[in-house]
Amino acid sequence: MSFTIAIDGPAAAGKGTISKAVAAHFNFAHLDTGLLYRAVGRQVLLGTPALEAARALSADDLDGDKLRTPEIAQAASKVAALPEVRAALTDFQRAFARRAGGAVLDGRDIGTVICPDAEAKLFVTASAEIRAQRRFKELFEKGHDTTLETVLADVRERDARDMNRADAPLKPAEDAVLIDTSALDIDTAVARAIEAINLRRAAFAM
Ligand code: DC
């Protein structure tokens, strides 16, 4: 039996951490769909046309460590605005979502476009300032030479592009449970997510 958990939200709101914890809790498979766009963005920076890169994408290209740089994040957000690129990545995400045993997908349009019939939907958000502080700390700890102002400008630029694009813009699905992590520690945010999903699981078990 399949059970799909869709977790959407802007950059650095905590959806990656929540998704991993939720997948481990329910023993579901997890797909960070941002990695698909990042892998395409990386290929574009290396000179491959976006659509060609999206069509040729393979699991070997989804190495998170290599893909989590600010340059690749911006390139990902740009290729993600191209409808043909999004279309080329749709089937893979839908097949993953319906695998037996349950799946967690996190991204921007999972509950709205990729899996509108997902059994559970969460929208994880936080203020731009808090998200920038978290991302800055992460980058600083990895040795990136940047400033909080640069990271905040980056977060705002990516938010604006992701929310205002014509195709699959970032927005909560009407039936998503909203979790604002601005004032929550990670354990509390994860507990809220699990609680919301358990309510949906109980509804489907009836
Ligand atoms: O979640 P992330 O920061 O790794 O995502 C990188 C970019 O990819 C993000 O700015 C927008 C895009 N993206 C998208 O458009 N749809 C998704 N489902 C996931 C990511």
Short mmCIF file of all heavy atoms in Angstrom, two decimals, residues 2 26 28 61 69 83 94 100 103 114 118 124 133 149 153 161 167 170 188:
data_model
loop_
_atom_site.label_atom_id
_atom_site.label_comp_id
_atom_site.label_asym_id
_atom_site.label_seq_id
_atom_site.Cartn_x
_atom_site.Cartn_y
_atom_site.Cartn_z
N SER A 2 0.46 2.28 -0.75
CA SER A 2 1.27 3.50 -0.75
C SER A 2 0.63 4.56 0.14
O SER A 2 -0.60 4.57 0.35
CB SER A 2 1.43 4.03 -2.18
OG SER A 2 0.21 4.54 -2.65
N PHE A 26 8.47 6.93 10.21
CA PHE A 26 7.46 6.04 9.61
C PHE A 26 8.09 4.93 8.77
O PHE A 26 7.38 4.11 8.19
CB PHE A 26 6.49 6.86 8.74
CG PHE A 26 5.60 7.77 9.55
CD1 PHE A 26 5.82 9.14 9.58
CD2 PHE A 26 4.56 7.25 10.31
CE1 PHE A 26 5.00 9.99 10.34
CE2 PHE A 26 3.74 8.09 11.07
CZ PHE A 26 3.96 9.45 11.09
N PHE A 28 9.59 5.29 5.88
CA PHE A 28 9.21 5.58 4.49
C PHE A 28 10.47 5.98 3.71
O PHE A 28 11.45 6.45 4.30
CB PHE A 28 8.24 6.76 4.42
CG PHE A 28 6.80 6.45 4.81
CD1 PHE A 28 6.44 5.24 5.39
CD2 PHE A 28 5.80 7.39 4.59
CE1 PHE A 28 5.12 4.97 5.74
CE2 PHE A 28 4.47 7.13 4.93
CZ PHE A 28 4.13 5.91 5.51
N ASP A 61 23.53 11.42 -10.12
CA ASP A 61 23.76 12.88 -10.13
C ASP A 61 23.26 13.55 -8.85
O ASP A 61 23.41 14.76 -8.69
CB ASP A 61 23.01 13.53 -11.32
CG ASP A 61 23.46 12.96 -12.65
OD1 ASP A 61 24.66 12.72 -12.80
OD2 ASP A 61 22.60 12.76 -13.53
N THR A 69 25.57 24.21 -2.72
CA THR A 69 26.33 25.46 -2.70
C THR A 69 25.37 26.58 -3.10
O THR A 69 24.37 26.33 -3.79
CB THR A 69 27.50 25.45 -3.71
OG1 THR A 69 26.95 25.49 -5.04
CG2 THR A 69 28.36 24.19 -3.56
N PRO A 83 9.07 25.49 -17.61
CA PRO A 83 8.05 24.45 -17.58
C PRO A 83 8.52 23.12 -18.18
O PRO A 83 8.17 22.05 -17.66
CB PRO A 83 6.91 25.04 -18.42
CG PRO A 83 7.11 26.51 -18.37
CD PRO A 83 8.59 26.74 -18.25
N ARG A 94 6.50 11.29 -9.39
CA ARG A 94 5.20 10.63 -9.13
C ARG A 94 5.39 9.13 -8.89
O ARG A 94 4.72 8.55 -8.03
CB ARG A 94 4.25 10.86 -10.31
CG ARG A 94 3.77 12.30 -10.32
CD ARG A 94 2.57 12.51 -11.23
NE ARG A 94 2.14 13.90 -11.11
CZ ARG A 94 1.71 14.65 -12.11
NH1 ARG A 94 1.60 14.15 -13.33
NH2 ARG A 94 1.35 15.89 -11.89
N ALA A 100 5.52 1.27 -3.05
CA ALA A 100 4.92 0.53 -1.94
C ALA A 100 5.69 0.85 -0.67
O ALA A 100 6.90 1.05 -0.71
CB ALA A 100 4.97 -0.95 -2.24
N ALA A 103 6.11 7.03 1.07
CA ALA A 103 7.16 7.94 0.61
C ALA A 103 6.95 9.35 1.15
O ALA A 103 5.81 9.80 1.30
CB ALA A 103 7.17 7.98 -0.92
N ILE A 114 2.68 17.95 -8.07
CA ILE A 114 3.22 16.59 -8.28
C ILE A 114 2.28 15.55 -7.67
O ILE A 114 1.93 14.57 -8.32
CB ILE A 114 4.65 16.47 -7.69
CG1 ILE A 114 5.60 17.47 -8.35
CG2 ILE A 114 5.18 15.04 -7.82
CD1 ILE A 114 5.86 17.24 -9.82
N ALA A 118 -1.84 13.49 -2.41
CA ALA A 118 -1.04 12.97 -1.29
C ALA A 118 -1.93 12.82 -0.05
O ALA A 118 -2.79 13.67 0.20
CB ALA A 118 0.12 13.92 -0.99
N VAL A 124 5.94 23.87 5.43
CA VAL A 124 6.86 24.28 6.49
C VAL A 124 7.47 25.62 6.11
O VAL A 124 8.06 25.76 5.04
CB VAL A 124 7.99 23.22 6.66
CG1 VAL A 124 8.97 23.65 7.73
CG2 VAL A 124 7.39 21.86 6.98
N GLN A 133 19.47 33.36 8.81
CA GLN A 133 20.41 33.09 9.92
C GLN A 133 20.81 31.62 9.95
O GLN A 133 21.98 31.28 10.12
CB GLN A 133 19.74 33.44 11.25
CG GLN A 133 19.79 34.92 11.59
CD GLN A 133 18.89 35.25 12.77
OE1 GLN A 133 18.61 34.40 13.61
NE2 GLN A 133 18.41 36.48 12.81
N GLU A 149 24.09 39.29 5.36
CA GLU A 149 23.36 40.15 4.41
C GLU A 149 23.27 39.47 3.04
O GLU A 149 22.22 39.49 2.40
CB GLU A 149 24.05 41.52 4.24
CG GLU A 149 23.94 42.44 5.44
CD GLU A 149 24.73 41.95 6.65
OE1 GLU A 149 25.81 41.33 6.45
OE2 GLU A 149 24.28 42.16 7.78
N ALA A 153 19.81 38.27 1.22
CA ALA A 153 19.45 38.74 -0.13
C ALA A 153 19.20 37.55 -1.05
O ALA A 153 18.26 37.55 -1.85
CB ALA A 153 20.57 39.62 -0.68
N ARG A 161 11.59 34.38 -6.85
CA ARG A 161 11.54 33.64 -8.11
C ARG A 161 10.66 32.40 -7.96
O ARG A 161 9.83 32.10 -8.82
CB ARG A 161 12.96 33.25 -8.55
CG ARG A 161 12.99 32.90 -10.01
CD ARG A 161 14.36 32.44 -10.51
NE ARG A 161 15.40 33.43 -10.40
CZ ARG A 161 16.46 33.32 -9.59
NH1 ARG A 161 16.60 32.27 -8.81
NH2 ARG A 161 17.37 34.25 -9.54
N ASP A 167 4.68 28.66 -13.64
CA ASP A 167 4.43 27.22 -13.57
C ASP A 167 4.77 26.69 -12.18
O ASP A 167 5.90 26.83 -11.72
CB ASP A 167 5.32 26.53 -14.64
CG ASP A 167 4.95 25.08 -14.83
OD1 ASP A 167 3.79 24.71 -14.55
OD2 ASP A 167 5.82 24.30 -15.24
N LEU A 170 5.65 28.32 -5.72
CA LEU A 170 5.66 27.90 -4.33
C LEU A 170 4.47 28.51 -3.60
O LEU A 170 4.35 29.73 -3.50
CB LEU A 170 6.96 28.37 -3.66
CG LEU A 170 7.01 28.26 -2.14
CD1 LEU A 170 6.98 26.80 -1.70
CD2 LEU A 170 8.25 28.95 -1.60
N THR A 188 10.62 20.03 18.41
CA THR A 188 9.21 20.42 18.49
C THR A 188 8.60 20.44 17.09
O THR A 188 7.47 20.00 16.88
CB THR A 188 9.07 21.82 19.15
OG1 THR A 188 9.88 21.83 20.31
CG2 THR A 188 7.64 22.13 19.49
#
